[in-house]
Every structure is written in structure tokens, then in C-alpha cells.
Amino acid sequence: MRQHGRTRTASAVVAAVVAAALGTAPAQAAEEPTPDPYRFGVGARSVVGAESSADAEVLEAGTTYRSSIGPGGKLNFRVDLDSERNAYVSVVAVPGPGTGLAYGDGIEVTLQDAQGTRCSSADEKVGAGRFARPLAAAAHRTIGGGRSTCQEEGAYNVLVERVGAGAGNPASADASASASASGTWALEIRHVTEPGLRQPGPTEAPTAWPSASPGLPGGETRETPGGSGFNDAAEISEGEWSSRMEAGRTYFYRVRVDWGQRIFATASLGSTNTGDFTFVSEALTMRLYNPVRALVEDGGTGSYDGRQKQASLDPLPEVAYENRFAGADKVQGMRLRGDYYLAVSLNPRLAQKFGRERFGVTLRVNVEGDAKAAPPYAEPVGDLGVSEGEKGERGDAMRLVGVAGVGTGALLVVGLVAWTLLARRAAAAPSQAAPSQGVPSAGAGAGHGAPLPGTPAPARGPVAGPVGPHATGGGSPYGDAHGYGPAGGPGHEGGTGQTDGAPRTEYGPPPAR
């Protein structure tokens, strides 16, 4: 019995390796499943929103949750906050694919203190495209800046509402367009906190920054598929990126932006040959979210008639801590260093009007300015807004890239070596009555022993999270002892957020350690 089991194992190993080497798939996986409209975080906990704040379940900081909301739904959750840390609660709502939506359909998130006072609220709505896509919004509690409310320690209420015609407003002119939007939407909820500062800093956000759009990035165009959510967003950097995108889907990309840097991006929908005059309104939309999934800016192509169209972001200020004290949402959004997310959506009517499933899209991304020193946080920050599950997924993705980099010949050699060794072990195995020689028992954790001779060690991805101190960037308002250092890749000269171009120095020298 053991010989037969090992023989079957050896055959499976060879089949899997050969299939990977030749780019084939097992017979049962010949038909690719329809991709999910959104990739939820691994290990997300289920949570049920309460009708009343008195019954609300607690959302723990640094944890991802899954829930759902129906038409007209109003859900309550609880977060326990101290008096020193900033707090963020983000909600991603996922309407069913193919759902017809109205312009005003969307999701709204509000954070309230114990007196019911609104700390902040945010929403995202479907907009002119009127098609189903992931919608994300984030509310926050910010310490300082002359605020007199929402500064105390205690229990705070998170109110999640489904808004718009699909929320149950039959008198709305968009009600008929939302007739099919009555289904339940899946939700992904995250609560994260940000440490306070060791010393007070400036509370005045910049009022001016370069208003001209940066030039196009140089270098060759690189091809990369986008992810289907924040959790598996494809990592890109400054440059030009191309992809073949399916109508009706949303693709996510993440770009690292450090303190003192500005991001600018465009998304171009390529031309399509068509003999008849036809067009699609708001064929492509692009949105920028910050590291805690708050919407910063968006843009669209408008009407698309088969000729190339481009969506672009408005110029934004450089990333700075004091941006959080601004009045404009898009300035407040540029308050954190970390991964900024570009979400590109294609209208499903493109396939109906132009008779094709995939369209060529080109992303052009600029990250301008040299990285500056970080604010003097009282505690390490790390990758704010990135869950442990997301870090694990990114590590797995990098390991797969490493495996994929092995040549076809090497894969075949590895497969043959593994098959030979397994076959020899099977032939030399003693009978069931005899004690096993060197074969681990079932409880020994099979699969975790030493690799087979001649088998290369698995490729390992980069370690997620902060990697220790780096040389600091110049021109920081926080001094030179607190920087994370320049971001990867060459930087560019960029604006400082001041009308005279001088760096901000309100923080003075760093505190003694």
C-alpha cells in the first residue's frame, strides 16, 4: 500500500512539474473560473452590523472584517480609541457584477463620538458610469489641529450606510436604473490607528503647490496585470505600464509614495477599429486612494467613440503630515506615506458596443520629489493600513515570481530528480510489518523536512514592512534623525508645498533619544 501511495505521489509530482514547465494546466482546471469582482483579505473575520449603536460589535485595530449590507441598510460598529492615536475606519462595498446602478448609489462611512457628534464622514458613489464596481470610503478621528471634539478616550460609533436610489427611494429619477441594485453588497471593513507625535508640529496645510501636470515618464513600456482589490494590488513604480483589461472589471495597482513626494497618473484607453458611429459614456474611470483606503482624487475619460481617450488625476500636493489639517478632501488625503492605490475600471458597455472583451490600457505614473524625513512619531509606524494577511499574500506572490523565473529545463530536471528519488524510496521500502527506516511519521509534519538533494531552495520574496533606518532625505520639517530615507529608484526635483519653494522647518531639531 505504501509503495502504491508513493508511486501515485511521484506521478503527481512529475505531472505538476511538467505542466508548470510546459505552461499547461490539469484537465480539471482547463476552464478558468470567472474572476471575483473583488479580492477580499485573507483571514478576514465575519462581523454583523447592528441596527443600534448600543448593540454594536467592536472592531479591533489592525484587523480586517467581512460583512454585508442590503438596500437602505444602516449598520453600526464600535471602535475603542485612546486620546493620543489617530484612527481610520475604511469600508469597501462590492456590488454584484453586472448590476445596473444609478449615479448616486454608493456607500457612506461616519465616525461619531459618545455624544453622537460627527468626527468625520466620507462616501463614494457610482457616478456617471453607472456600473457596478468596488466603492471605498474611510472616516477618521484626527488628534490636534485645534479640534475640540472627538479628542477623548472612549467608545466611538462607526455608522455604515448604503445611499442612493438603490437604498430605497422610489421617488428618485434614478430609481428605475437602480431596480436591479436591490441585492446585498459585500463589505470589507478595516480599522487602523496611527501613533501620535513626540513633539507638536505645524498645523497649517500647504495652500499652494505646482499646478502644472508633470511630463510623461521615460523608459520602455512594461506590461503588468492589475489586481482585483487592495489586498492583491499589483506593485508598480514610476514609468509606463500596459495591460489588457476586461470590460466591466476594476484593476488595482499600488505605488509607493514617501514623505515629500507627489504622485501624478494618467490612464489611456486605446483606440478600437469600428465601422459604425457608437460611443460609451464614461468608458474608463481612475481613482486614487491613500494607504488607509480613503478616496483622494478621481478622473474619467468622458465619452469614448473608439478613438484613444485619457483620464488623469489633478495635480496633488506632496505627502506631508500637516495635510490632514486642510479643508479640502484631496489635500487631507495626502497625509500618509505608504502605498497609494490606483483603481482603473472599464465600463461593461464597452464590450456590448465594440464587440470585444478586452481593451488596451496604458498607465503613466510620475512620483516626483526626493523622500524627506518622517515625522517624529512616538512609536514605529510600519506599513500603515497593510494587514498581516496582505503582507503574507505579497510574500507569496514574490515567491511565485521567483519560481516562475526558473527555466523550463531546470523545472524538468527538478521533476525528474524528484521522481527518481521517490521511486527508489518506494522500491526500497520495507514491508508494513517492519519498522520504517528514516521515513517521518504522519505526525512528524510531512512536507517540512529538508529539501531533496539537488532541489534548489525556494525563492523568497522581500520582507514586508519597515526595514530599519535609512539615510534621510533632505529638506524635512522634522529634522534629519527621523527619516525613512529615499524611496526606491531615482527621485526627481519636486515642489515643497510652499509658494516660495522653501522647505518647511517648523518642527525644528529632533528630540533627544
Side-chain angles (χ1 to χ4, degrees), residues 56-252:
E57 293 190 45
V58 175
L59 303 177
E60 297 180 4
T63 304
T64 303
Y65 295 88
R66 288 192 64 167
S67 190
S68 60
I69 190 169
K74 293 186 178 182
L75 308 179
N76 290 275
F77 305 92
R78 169 179 164 173
V79 291
D80 293 328
L81 307 181
D82 59 22
S83 59
E84 298 177 352
R85 301 176 70 91
N86 300 301
Y88 307 90
V89 180
S90 66
V91 177
V92 182
V94 187
T99 302
L101 300 175
Y103 182 95
D105 287 334
I107 201 79
E108 183 173 357
V109 187
T110 304
L111 187 61
Q112 304 166 329
D113 68 8
Q115 300 296 331
T117 303
R118 182 176 64 88
C119 305
S120 77
S121 66
D123 63 29
E124 186 178 7
K125 298 177 181 177
V126 170
R130 304 192 182 195
F131 61 91
R133 59 176 176 81
L135 306 168
H140 60 85
R141 189 282 296 269
T142 301
I143 295 294
R147 293 177 171 86
S148 59
T149 59
C150 300
Q151 304 294 293
E152 300 82 12
E153 177 181 358
Y156 286 71
N157 187 59
V158 179
L159 176 63
V160 180
E161 300 177 83
R162 184 162 154 184
V163 299
N169 181 13
S172 169
D174 287 334
S176 60
S178 276
S180 60
S182 58
T184 298
W185 293 359
L187 300 178
E188 181 174 70
I189 305 172
R190 275 192 59 75
H191 165 40
V192 298
T193 62
E194 175 193 19
L197 301 181
R198 290 195 185 99
Q199 65 187 57
T203 58
E204 295 293 330
T207 57
W209 55 86
S211 58
S213 300
L216 296 177
E220 64 176 316
T221 302
R222 288 165 284 182
E223 186 171 353
T224 182
S228 56
F230 291 98
N231 302 290
D232 66 343
E235 181 179 6
I236 60 175
S237 56
E238 182 175 278
E240 188 168 304
W241 305 82
S242 67
S243 180
R244 304 294 296 180
M245 296 188 180
E246 184 179 339
R249 289 193 59 196
T250 297
Y251 297 81
F252 286 77

Side-chain angles (χ1 to χ4, degrees), residues 5 30 87 103 126 137 167 213-214 224 268 320 347 359 361 407 409 426 437 469 477 481:
Y103 182 95
V126 170
S213 300
T224 182
S268 298
N347 197 315
F359 296 78
V361 174
Q437 300 293 329

Side-chain angles (χ1 to χ4, degrees), residues 439-473:
V439 179
S441 64
H448 297 282
L452 295 174
T455 304
R460 298 185 180 272
V463 178
V467 293
H470 303 276
T472 61

Side-chain angles (χ1 to χ4, degrees), residues 205-206 209 296 316-317 320 323-324 326-335:
W209 55 86
V296 178
L316 296 165
N323 286 342
R324 66 194 61 208
D329 289 342
K330 71 177 183 179
V331 181
Q332 284 193 30
M334 304 300 293
R335 62 196 287 159

